[in-house]
Amino acid sequence: MSQDMPGLEPRHTLGEAIHRLRARWGWFFAFGALCLAFGLAALTMAAVSTLAVVLMVAFMLILAGGFEIVLGFNSRDWPSFFLWVVSGLFYLVFGAFALARPVVAAAALTAVVGAGFLIAGVARIWLGFKLPAGPKAFIVLAGVVTTLLGALILAGWPGNTLFVLGILFGVDLVFYGASWIALALKLRP
């Protein structure tokens, strides 16, 4: 089939993919260690990490909004260029709001993150069951913890926004990092 359609590689099994990844086990370990370190830092500075997340999102929205407005005005030949400009303005407004009212923005982000953790946790559980026995348990455990963290965020929202968001991100990163380290150790030749 790959001869009929250049650029398409034949499908490989999961076992073959894992075999090819063995040489890169150190990268998986390093990524896991980095996630683990960031998680511990977030846990020790929960309120700071919550506000840092809000400010980072605000700056990303402002930057993306500015670029989208420039893109819209530079693409006036497109029939719907105005929608690019309006979309960019929404990003700018939401980003400026997050800078001006970071606690309110943190409450909104907390609700979004709670829903995101639920979805990510279910995805990790599903993906974990597709792996071999060794790393499967750790990745499924990471998915269960992430799902529970999402439920906790939503259950305490909005009263616990300032501290819980930073704590929950820290816990999630610790377990996520540990699961990547476990996978790396399983891949190690």
Side-chain angles (χ1 to χ4, degrees), residues 17-145:
I18 289 173
H19 180 71
R20 285 192 312 274
L21 292 176
R22 286 194 188 283
R24 297 178 188 97
W25 75 272
W27 287 101
F28 289 94
F29 187 88
F31 178 67
L34 184 66
C35 288
L36 187 66
F38 283 156
L40 293 173
L43 286 171
T44 59
M45 303 176 287
V48 172
S49 60
T50 296
L51 292 177
V53 167
V54 171
L55 295 176
M56 186 172 62
V57 168
F59 286 123
M60 287 188 302
L61 287 171
I62 290 169
L63 187 63
F67 276 108
E68 197 163 19
I69 290 169
V70 169
L71 173 70
F73 280 121
N74 284 320
S75 305
R76 283 185 234 145
D77 296 340
W78 290 356
S80 54
F81 85 94
F82 182 70
L83 294 176
W84 291 102
V85 174
V86 170
S87 176
L89 286 172
F90 277 124
Y91 269 45
L92 278 176
V93 168
F94 292 139
F97 175 79
L99 283 178
R101 304 283 307 265
V103 175
V104 176
L109 284 175
T110 299
V112 170
V113 167
F117 273 12
L118 284 172
I119 294 166
V122 170
R124 288 178 187 169
I125 293 168
W126 183 77
L127 291 170
F129 279 115
K130 299 223 175 262
L131 292 173
K136 176 186 291 193
F138 289 105
I139 293 175
V140 169
L141 176 62
V144 168
V145 169

